[in-house]
Amino acid sequence: MINRILAWLTDRNHWQGSDGILRRLVEHLGYSLTAVLIAALIAIPLGLYIGHTGRGRFLVVNLAGAARAIPSLGLLYLAVLWLGPKLSGDIAFLAPAGLVLVVLAIPPILSGAYAGVEGVDPDARDAATGMGMRGTEVLRHVEFPCALPLIMSGIRSATLQVIATATIAAVVGLGGLGRFLIDGLAVRDTPQTASGAILVAALALAVDMVLALVQRSVVSRGLTGRYAKAPTVETDNYTETGAKPPTPVLQPIA
Amino acid sequence: MTWLRDHLGDVLGLTVQHIYLAGVPLILGLLIALPLGWLARRYRALYPILIIGTSLLYTIPSLALFIMLPFLLGTKILDPTNVVVAMTIYTVALLVRTVADGLGSVPEAVNQSATAMGYKRGRRFLAVELPLAVPVISAGLRVAAVSNVSIVSVAALIGVEQLGSLFTDGFNRDFMDPIIVGVIACVLLALLFDGAILGLTRLATPWQRAGKAPA
């Protein structure tokens, strides 16, 4: 079995052409990154606002939780039946699938942004106000940088979920790596199905690694305690405040 | 919603099936994750291996897992066991970290006190560490429960009957009513699971409410 999967994956013909692996990889990445980008544009400002003002906290806790309970497959079918007839061409399927992925990606990013701002050390916020910063300046120069680790972990778990879920876009006729799963299932071609599964998992891991590097470069070293020479004074202060380095939050996928 | 009135019996049957497919893995997953999480705490070298290993399981799309398991287990493709095993894998993937972090959240002073009072390792784990870790573990269990209810519906694509069957059925007939009923039933079921876990957690952690009583 493993040999047959390897044979399928290493077959040059399976990589090229309009239904080849490379094309499907690009499609899959395209759907996923677009959805995460749109979700981030909605969820990060909203999360920052809620965390900064403390207003609408119930929205994050309840709506984000309820959104997680919505089955993606059902939402996808509903969106296709409802939006499909109103649109034409590929958009009739792209828009509903995009909608589903955006709905899926918003809760983790929103919770990350909100929890990140809310968890900022009140002393840091007080100090910023004491230095004469106004509300938006505190948000931009203190709260946002301090919240970045959690914002990034929200984006990372959203991306993992979206890449895994984008496979079901294939059931309504779209491309992406899900095609290998759906088509393989239809004709009982197990090596193809298994290869599709491996490719999706590999893509998810690769993208997560890239995002981990992005996180490393954008998060202030003052937060991670990662200095070129690791001066002891700063790291001691860091542990004294009781703050912990952020751990990525695992979240469910569909 | 005359459709729901006419098909109430079917929907209830599918709901029971859904509860089974999403609920049993929750219990199995917790039972497997407890010793693994304990191992991850006990032997520090195992922590990154177990956490990274279980996170890797999470990147496998559910549809792929449902399709692949029959070949790995030797079961028939329509066998509900495949779905139970797949959901158990996801539950374990989510809970190992939660259990390890939950046990880690128990203050070291408490552990030392328990040891000083004569608790051996096994009894300390069952009587002190595990109860104190319940709030953290329960939070992870709630996330797993809600996501299980949602993921199980994907199994309709491989023909295993549960509420997700309403989605494929409705879509094939270009008929929205069953899909809407299915989505609402899934969300309600997730809330039910969530409420049940919250209730059990309250029962298991009476000390959390003690502070609120008038002194």
Side-chain angles (χ1 to χ4, degrees):
Chain A
M1 190 67 216
I2 290 170
N3 286 334
R4 282 168 61 206
I5 297 170
L6 277 179
W8 196 94
L9 274 175
T10 48
D11 187 338
R12 185 178 279 270
N13 293 324
H14 289 150
W15 284 84
Q16 296 157 342
S18 62
D19 56 354
I21 294 172
L22 286 178
R23 172 81 188 275
R24 296 297 182 214
L25 262 177
V26 172
E27 285 171 349
H28 205 100
L29 256 184
Y31 301 156
S32 306
L33 295 186
T34 313
V36 172
L37 191 69
I38 294 173
L41 287 177
I42 298 169
I44 292 179
L46 194 61
L48 292 179
Y49 174 82
I50 293 171
H52 182 69
T53 60
R55 255 178 265 167
R57 196 176 286 140
F58 80 99
L59 188 87
V60 184
V61 179
N62 295 323
L63 271 187
R68 263 186 208 130
I70 299 173
S72 302
L73 184 66
L75 191 62
L76 176 67
Y77 283 157
L78 267 189
V80 169
L81 289 185
W82 179 56
L83 286 174
K86 299 185 173 125
L87 307 161
S88 61
D90 267 0
I91 295 291
F93 294 103
L94 275 177
L99 178 78
V100 171
L101 295 180
V102 169
V103 168
L104 184 73
I106 284 180
I109 302 180
L110 183 63
S111 317
Y114 156 74
V117 172
E118 207 201 35
V120 172
D121 189 347
D123 287 348
R125 207 177 280 139
D126 282 353
T129 316
M131 285 172 70
M133 287 192 190
R134 296 185 185 284
T136 48
E137 285 173 324
V138 176
L139 182 63
R140 270 189 17 237
H141 299 302
V142 180
E143 289 175 328
F144 181 71
C146 289
L148 255 182
L150 277 179
I151 294 176
M152 281 305 296
S153 79
I155 291 176
R156 283 170 67 181
S157 64
T159 309
L160 278 180
Q161 288 177 62
V162 166
I163 289 178
T165 309
T167 48
I168 63 168
V171 300
V172 294
L174 286 173
L177 294 168
R179 279 259 63 86
F180 298 121
L181 295 177
I182 298 291
D183 297 346
L185 181 67
V187 297
R188 295 281 151 109
D189 181 354
T190 318
Q192 185 182 349
T193 311
S195 304
I198 293 167
L199 288 168
V200 177
L203 180 67
L205 284 181
V207 172
D208 192 53
M209 269 158 67
V210 171
L211 286 176
L213 289 178
V214 171
Q215 178 168 0
R216 218 180 133 93
S217 68
V218 296
V219 171
S220 160
R221 285 182 302 174
L223 284 173
T224 54
R226 193 167 43 78
Y227 288 91
K229 281 183 192 162
T232 45
V233 182
E234 275 85 349
T235 43
D236 279 347
N237 279 345
Y238 176 71
T239 46
E240 263 170 33
T241 59
K244 276 189 224 155
T247 45
V249 190
L250 254 186
Q251 254 142 358
I253 56 163
Chain B
M1 275 282 130
T2 48
W3 184 87
L4 178 59
R5 215 168 45 218
D6 296 342
H7 296 83
L8 200 58
D10 299 342
V11 174
L12 283 180
L14 293 174
T15 308
V16 170
Q17 192 65 14
H18 206 102
I19 292 175
Y20 171 78
L21 291 174
V24 170
L26 220 50
I27 298 164
L28 291 178
L30 182 61
L31 289 179
I32 298 172
L34 281 175
L36 287 180
W38 180 81
L39 276 177
R41 282 304 301 176
R42 177 73 182 77
Y43 304 98
R44 288 298 160 87
L46 279 178
Y47 184 84
I49 300 170
L50 277 169
I51 297 300
I52 294 172
T54 48
S55 322
L56 277 181
L57 292 174
Y58 232 79
T59 61
I60 308 171
S62 50
L63 181 58
L65 204 52
F66 291 151
I67 299 173
M68 293 313 299
L69 275 175
F71 297 98
L72 299 176
L73 301 174
T75 43
K76 293 212 169 64
I77 186 133
L78 282 175
D79 195 334
T81 312
N82 300 322
V83 179
V84 171
V85 172
M87 299 317 300
T88 304
I89 291 175
Y90 285 132
T91 309
V92 171
L94 201 78
L95 286 183
V96 169
R97 179 189 215 117
T98 314
V99 171
D101 292 351
L103 293 175
S105 75
V106 178
E108 195 45 42
V110 172
N111 282 333
Q112 287 176 2
S113 313
T115 309
M117 283 173 71
Y119 282 75
K120 292 275 188 311
R121 200 181 282 285
R123 192 161 152 244
R124 192 184 85 181
F125 174 75
L126 288 176
V128 179
E129 292 178 79
L130 197 55
L132 287 177
V134 163
V136 178
I137 297 175
S138 140
L141 203 58
R142 289 173 65 192
V143 173
V146 171
S147 76
N148 274 11
V149 170
S150 169
I151 298 175
V152 161
S153 63
V154 176
L157 292 177
I158 54 159
V160 176
E161 293 273 308
Q162 27 68 33
L163 286 171
S165 311
L166 297 174
F167 305 157
T168 45
D169 175 47
F171 188 69
N172 290 338
R173 294 192 287 140
D174 209 346
F175 183 40
M176 284 207 218
D177 286 8
I179 309 183
I180 295 172
V181 168
V183 169
I184 293 173
C186 277
V187 173
L188 289 179
L189 205 55
L191 287 178
L192 186 80
F193 272 58
D194 199 47
I197 296 171
L198 262 183
L200 288 175
T201 308
R202 263 182 82 89
L203 285 180
T205 56
W207 60 86
Q208 291 223 312
R209 296 187 302 282
K212 286 173 196 153

mmCIF file of all heavy atoms in Angstrom, chain A residues 82-115:
data_model
loop_
_atom_site.group_PDB
_atom_site.id
_atom_site.type_symbol
_atom_site.label_atom_id
_atom_site.label_comp_id
_atom_site.label_asym_id
_atom_site.label_seq_id
_atom_site.Cartn_x
_atom_site.Cartn_y
_atom_site.Cartn_z
ATOM 1 N N TRP A 82 -28.107 28.762 -1.814
ATOM 2 C CA TRP A 82 -28.719 30.077 -1.626
ATOM 3 C C TRP A 82 -28.059 31.123 -2.520
ATOM 4 O O TRP A 82 -28.735 31.862 -3.229
ATOM 5 C CB TRP A 82 -28.604 30.459 -0.141
ATOM 6 C CG TRP A 82 -29.171 31.782 0.206
ATOM 7 C CD1 TRP A 82 -30.447 32.201 -0.020
ATOM 8 C CD2 TRP A 82 -28.497 32.876 0.836
ATOM 9 N NE1 TRP A 82 -30.599 33.487 0.449
ATOM 10 C CE2 TRP A 82 -29.428 33.926 0.983
ATOM 11 C CE3 TRP A 82 -27.185 33.070 1.309
ATOM 12 C CZ2 TRP A 82 -29.091 35.150 1.565
ATOM 13 C CZ3 TRP A 82 -26.862 34.285 1.896
ATOM 14 C CH2 TRP A 82 -27.801 35.301 2.014
ATOM 15 N N LEU A 83 -26.703 31.144 -2.518
ATOM 16 C CA LEU A 83 -25.984 32.155 -3.298
ATOM 17 C C LEU A 83 -25.792 31.730 -4.744
ATOM 18 O O LEU A 83 -25.793 32.570 -5.643
ATOM 19 C CB LEU A 83 -24.605 32.420 -2.694
ATOM 20 C CG LEU A 83 -24.520 33.218 -1.396
ATOM 21 C CD1 LEU A 83 -23.072 33.240 -0.904
ATOM 22 C CD2 LEU A 83 -25.002 34.643 -1.631
ATOM 23 N N GLY A 84 -25.620 30.415 -4.955
ATOM 24 C CA GLY A 84 -25.305 29.895 -6.274
ATOM 25 C C GLY A 84 -26.159 30.444 -7.403
ATOM 26 O O GLY A 84 -25.631 30.986 -8.384
ATOM 27 N N PRO A 85 -27.497 30.337 -7.286
ATOM 28 C CA PRO A 85 -28.354 30.790 -8.383
ATOM 29 C C PRO A 85 -28.254 32.288 -8.652
ATOM 30 O O PRO A 85 -28.617 32.752 -9.731
ATOM 31 C CB PRO A 85 -29.775 30.445 -7.890
ATOM 32 C CG PRO A 85 -29.567 29.414 -6.829
ATOM 33 C CD PRO A 85 -28.255 29.727 -6.206
ATOM 34 N N LYS A 86 -27.770 33.060 -7.658
ATOM 35 C CA LYS A 86 -27.679 34.513 -7.825
ATOM 36 C C LYS A 86 -26.400 34.915 -8.550
ATOM 37 O O LYS A 86 -26.252 36.058 -8.961
ATOM 38 C CB LYS A 86 -27.712 35.208 -6.459
ATOM 39 C CG LYS A 86 -29.006 34.929 -5.704
ATOM 40 C CD LYS A 86 -29.069 35.713 -4.425
ATOM 41 C CE LYS A 86 -30.434 35.545 -3.804
ATOM 42 N NZ LYS A 86 -30.424 35.080 -2.450
ATOM 43 N N LEU A 87 -25.449 33.976 -8.657
ATOM 44 C CA LEU A 87 -24.177 34.282 -9.292
ATOM 45 C C LEU A 87 -24.000 33.386 -10.503
ATOM 46 O O LEU A 87 -24.776 32.465 -10.719
ATOM 47 C CB LEU A 87 -23.024 34.056 -8.309
ATOM 48 C CG LEU A 87 -23.150 34.779 -6.966
ATOM 49 C CD1 LEU A 87 -22.259 34.149 -5.929
ATOM 50 C CD2 LEU A 87 -22.818 36.248 -7.132
ATOM 51 N N SER A 88 -22.952 33.683 -11.292
ATOM 52 C CA SER A 88 -22.743 32.828 -12.459
ATOM 53 C C SER A 88 -21.287 32.397 -12.554
ATOM 54 O O SER A 88 -20.410 33.007 -11.960
ATOM 55 C CB SER A 88 -23.149 33.580 -13.731
ATOM 56 O OG SER A 88 -22.347 34.730 -13.853
ATOM 57 N N GLY A 89 -21.046 31.336 -13.307
ATOM 58 C CA GLY A 89 -19.687 30.849 -13.531
ATOM 59 C C GLY A 89 -19.090 30.262 -12.273
ATOM 60 O O GLY A 89 -19.795 29.797 -11.377
ATOM 61 N N ASP A 90 -17.753 30.313 -12.186
ATOM 62 C CA ASP A 90 -17.039 29.753 -11.040
ATOM 63 C C ASP A 90 -17.381 30.465 -9.743
ATOM 64 O O ASP A 90 -17.340 29.868 -8.668
ATOM 65 C CB ASP A 90 -15.528 29.858 -11.284
ATOM 66 C CG ASP A 90 -14.992 28.590 -11.915
ATOM 67 O OD1 ASP A 90 -15.811 27.675 -12.144
ATOM 68 O OD2 ASP A 90 -13.784 28.533 -12.179
ATOM 69 N N ILE A 91 -17.707 31.768 -9.866
ATOM 70 C CA ILE A 91 -18.006 32.556 -8.668
ATOM 71 C C ILE A 91 -19.167 31.938 -7.898
ATOM 72 O O ILE A 91 -19.210 31.993 -6.664
ATOM 73 C CB ILE A 91 -18.346 34.017 -9.077
ATOM 74 C CG1 ILE A 91 -17.119 34.699 -9.688
ATOM 75 C CG2 ILE A 91 -18.840 34.820 -7.886
ATOM 76 C CD1 ILE A 91 -16.010 34.970 -8.702
ATOM 77 N N ALA A 92 -20.095 31.304 -8.594
ATOM 78 C CA ALA A 92 -21.261 30.700 -7.955
ATOM 79 C C ALA A 92 -20.847 29.660 -6.920
ATOM 80 O O ALA A 92 -21.579 29.386 -5.986
ATOM 81 C CB ALA A 92 -22.170 30.063 -8.998
ATOM 82 N N PHE A 93 -19.657 29.060 -7.104
ATOM 83 C CA PHE A 93 -19.172 28.084 -6.124
ATOM 84 C C PHE A 93 -18.059 28.659 -5.260
ATOM 85 O O PHE A 93 -17.917 28.305 -4.096
ATOM 86 C CB PHE A 93 -18.689 26.823 -6.845
ATOM 87 C CG PHE A 93 -19.811 26.090 -7.522
ATOM 88 C CD1 PHE A 93 -19.986 26.178 -8.896
ATOM 89 C CD2 PHE A 93 -20.712 25.338 -6.783
ATOM 90 C CE1 PHE A 93 -21.034 25.525 -9.521
ATOM 91 C CE2 PHE A 93 -21.762 24.682 -7.396
ATOM 92 C CZ PHE A 93 -21.921 24.777 -8.764
ATOM 93 N N LEU A 94 -17.256 29.583 -5.854
ATOM 94 C CA LEU A 94 -16.143 30.164 -5.105
ATOM 95 C C LEU A 94 -16.632 31.005 -3.941
ATOM 96 O O LEU A 94 -16.115 30.910 -2.832
ATOM 97 C CB LEU A 94 -15.281 31.028 -6.040
ATOM 98 C CG LEU A 94 -14.205 30.307 -6.831
ATOM 99 C CD1 LEU A 94 -13.506 31.287 -7.764
ATOM 100 C CD2 LEU A 94 -13.186 29.662 -5.904
ATOM 101 N N ALA A 95 -17.662 31.847 -4.192
ATOM 102 C CA ALA A 95 -18.142 32.745 -3.148
ATOM 103 C C ALA A 95 -18.695 31.976 -1.946
ATOM 104 O O ALA A 95 -18.320 32.266 -0.806
ATOM 105 C CB ALA A 95 -19.175 33.716 -3.712
ATOM 106 N N PRO A 96 -19.561 30.961 -2.165
ATOM 107 C CA PRO A 96 -20.054 30.206 -1.003
ATOM 108 C C PRO A 96 -18.934 29.503 -0.232
ATOM 109 O O PRO A 96 -18.897 29.554 1.001
ATOM 110 C CB PRO A 96 -20.999 29.165 -1.628
ATOM 111 C CG PRO A 96 -21.390 29.733 -2.933
ATOM 112 C CD PRO A 96 -20.220 30.535 -3.408
ATOM 113 N N ALA A 97 -18.002 28.882 -0.958
ATOM 114 C CA ALA A 97 -16.907 28.184 -0.271
ATOM 115 C C ALA A 97 -16.058 29.181 0.508
ATOM 116 O O ALA A 97 -15.663 28.921 1.650
ATOM 117 C CB ALA A 97 -16.049 27.437 -1.291
ATOM 118 N N GLY A 98 -15.804 30.357 -0.117
ATOM 119 C CA GLY A 98 -15.036 31.391 0.573
ATOM 120 C C GLY A 98 -15.738 31.842 1.836
ATOM 121 O O GLY A 98 -15.118 31.974 2.890
ATOM 122 N N LEU A 99 -17.040 32.023 1.732
ATOM 123 C CA LEU A 99 -17.841 32.452 2.889
ATOM 124 C C LEU A 99 -17.678 31.469 4.043
ATOM 125 O O LEU A 99 -17.443 31.853 5.195
ATOM 126 C CB LEU A 99 -19.312 32.557 2.482
ATOM 127 C CG LEU A 99 -20.289 32.948 3.585
ATOM 128 C CD1 LEU A 99 -20.215 34.431 3.849
ATOM 129 C CD2 LEU A 99 -21.713 32.554 3.232
ATOM 130 N N VAL A 100 -17.791 30.173 3.725
ATOM 131 C CA VAL A 100 -17.689 29.139 4.756
ATOM 132 C C VAL A 100 -16.323 29.188 5.438
ATOM 133 O O VAL A 100 -16.211 29.138 6.662
ATOM 134 C CB VAL A 100 -17.935 27.747 4.148
ATOM 135 C CG1 VAL A 100 -17.623 26.653 5.149
ATOM 136 C CG2 VAL A 100 -19.369 27.634 3.672
ATOM 137 N N LEU A 101 -15.262 29.324 4.623
ATOM 138 C CA LEU A 101 -13.914 29.336 5.194
ATOM 139 C C LEU A 101 -13.687 30.586 6.044
ATOM 140 O O LEU A 101 -13.024 30.534 7.083
ATOM 141 C CB LEU A 101 -12.867 29.244 4.073
ATOM 142 C CG LEU A 101 -12.885 27.935 3.282
ATOM 143 C CD1 LEU A 101 -11.809 27.946 2.204
ATOM 144 C CD2 LEU A 101 -12.677 26.737 4.202
ATOM 145 N N VAL A 102 -14.255 31.733 5.605
ATOM 146 C CA VAL A 102 -14.107 32.962 6.391
ATOM 147 C C VAL A 102 -14.825 32.812 7.734
ATOM 148 O O VAL A 102 -14.281 33.159 8.791
ATOM 149 C CB VAL A 102 -14.639 34.183 5.604
ATOM 150 C CG1 VAL A 102 -14.731 35.406 6.510
ATOM 151 C CG2 VAL A 102 -13.743 34.485 4.411
ATOM 152 N N VAL A 103 -16.054 32.260 7.695
ATOM 153 C CA VAL A 103 -16.810 32.045 8.939
ATOM 154 C C VAL A 103 -16.018 31.142 9.881
ATOM 155 O O VAL A 103 -15.993 31.333 11.091
ATOM 156 C CB VAL A 103 -18.191 31.426 8.631
ATOM 157 C CG1 VAL A 103 -18.859 30.916 9.906
ATOM 158 C CG2 VAL A 103 -19.077 32.443 7.944
ATOM 159 N N LEU A 104 -15.335 30.155 9.296
ATOM 160 C CA LEU A 104 -14.547 29.212 10.091
ATOM 161 C C LEU A 104 -13.330 29.896 10.714
ATOM 162 O O LEU A 104 -12.945 29.594 11.849
ATOM 163 C CB LEU A 104 -14.083 28.075 9.169
ATOM 164 C CG LEU A 104 -13.326 26.917 9.784
ATOM 165 C CD1 LEU A 104 -14.289 26.055 10.571
ATOM 166 C CD2 LEU A 104 -12.638 26.103 8.703
ATOM 167 N N ALA A 105 -12.737 30.837 9.976
ATOM 168 C CA ALA A 105 -11.466 31.433 10.416
ATOM 169 C C ALA A 105 -11.661 32.576 11.406
ATOM 170 O O ALA A 105 -10.751 32.893 12.167
ATOM 171 C CB ALA A 105 -10.678 31.923 9.195
ATOM 172 N N ILE A 106 -12.846 33.196 11.401
ATOM 173 C CA ILE A 106 -13.039 34.371 12.258
ATOM 174 C C ILE A 106 -12.937 34.057 13.762
ATOM 175 O O ILE A 106 -12.206 34.748 14.472
ATOM 176 C CB ILE A 106 -14.369 35.100 11.894
ATOM 177 C CG1 ILE A 106 -14.159 35.885 10.605
ATOM 178 C CG2 ILE A 106 -14.803 36.040 13.016
ATOM 179 C CD1 ILE A 106 -15.385 36.638 10.140
ATOM 180 N N PRO A 107 -13.631 33.019 14.292
ATOM 181 C CA PRO A 107 -13.600 32.824 15.745
ATOM 182 C C PRO A 107 -12.206 32.718 16.360
ATOM 183 O O PRO A 107 -11.921 33.434 17.322
ATOM 184 C CB PRO A 107 -14.414 31.542 15.953
ATOM 185 C CG PRO A 107 -15.299 31.463 14.778
ATOM 186 C CD PRO A 107 -14.537 32.052 13.640
ATOM 187 N N PRO A 108 -11.293 31.867 15.818
ATOM 188 C CA PRO A 108 -9.989 31.790 16.472
ATOM 189 C C PRO A 108 -9.206 33.107 16.411
ATOM 190 O O PRO A 108 -8.541 33.476 17.383
ATOM 191 C CB PRO A 108 -9.248 30.683 15.718
ATOM 192 C CG PRO A 108 -10.077 30.320 14.564
ATOM 193 C CD PRO A 108 -11.443 30.848 14.769
ATOM 194 N N ILE A 109 -9.293 33.826 15.272
ATOM 195 C CA ILE A 109 -8.539 35.075 15.157
ATOM 196 C C ILE A 109 -9.124 36.124 16.109
ATOM 197 O O ILE A 109 -8.403 36.843 16.800
ATOM 198 C CB ILE A 109 -8.551 35.597 13.696
ATOM 199 C CG1 ILE A 109 -7.966 34.537 12.755
ATOM 200 C CG2 ILE A 109 -7.745 36.879 13.585
ATOM 201 C CD1 ILE A 109 -7.940 34.950 11.304
ATOM 202 N N LEU A 110 -10.463 36.182 16.157
ATOM 203 C CA LEU A 110 -11.141 37.139 17.030
ATOM 204 C C LEU A 110 -10.773 36.870 18.494
ATOM 205 O O LEU A 110 -10.393 37.788 19.230
ATOM 206 C CB LEU A 110 -12.655 37.032 16.825
ATOM 207 C CG LEU A 110 -13.547 38.002 17.590
ATOM 208 C CD1 LEU A 110 -13.267 39.426 17.160
ATOM 209 C CD2 LEU A 110 -15.021 37.680 17.357
ATOM 210 N N SER A 111 -10.862 35.596 18.910
ATOM 211 C CA SER A 111 -10.536 35.270 20.300
ATOM 212 C C SER A 111 -9.086 35.602 20.611
ATOM 213 O O SER A 111 -8.777 36.104 21.691
ATOM 214 C CB SER A 111 -10.772 33.786 20.582
ATOM 215 O OG SER A 111 -11.968 33.359 20.017
ATOM 216 N N GLY A 112 -8.188 35.319 19.646
ATOM 217 C CA GLY A 112 -6.767 35.602 19.861
ATOM 218 C C GLY A 112 -6.520 37.089 20.058
ATOM 219 O O GLY A 112 -5.848 37.502 21.008
ATOM 220 N N ALA A 113 -7.095 37.920 19.172
ATOM 221 C CA ALA A 113 -6.882 39.367 19.245
ATOM 222 C C ALA A 113 -7.475 39.926 20.538
ATOM 223 O O ALA A 113 -6.854 40.732 21.240
ATOM 224 C CB ALA A 113 -7.510 40.053 18.034
ATOM 225 N N TYR A 114 -8.669 39.462 20.873
ATOM 226 C CA TYR A 114 -9.339 39.953 22.077
ATOM 227 C C TYR A 114 -8.575 39.538 23.335
ATOM 228 O O TYR A 114 -8.256 40.370 24.195
ATOM 229 C CB TYR A 114 -10.771 39.409 22.106
ATOM 230 C CG TYR A 114 -11.390 39.339 23.466
ATOM 231 C CD1 TYR A 114 -11.819 40.500 24.102
ATOM 232 C CD2 TYR A 114 -11.532 38.124 24.121
ATOM 233 C CE1 TYR A 114 -12.374 40.434 25.364
ATOM 234 C CE2 TYR A 114 -12.086 38.054 25.377
ATOM 235 C CZ TYR A 114 -12.497 39.211 26.000
ATOM 236 O OH TYR A 114 -13.033 39.147 27.238
ATOM 237 N N ALA A 115 -8.240 38.240 23.409
ATOM 238 C CA ALA A 115 -7.540 37.740 24.602
ATOM 239 C C ALA A 115 -6.162 38.383 24.717
ATOM 240 O O ALA A 115 -5.701 38.684 25.822
ATOM 241 C CB ALA A 115 -7.414 36.219 24.533
#
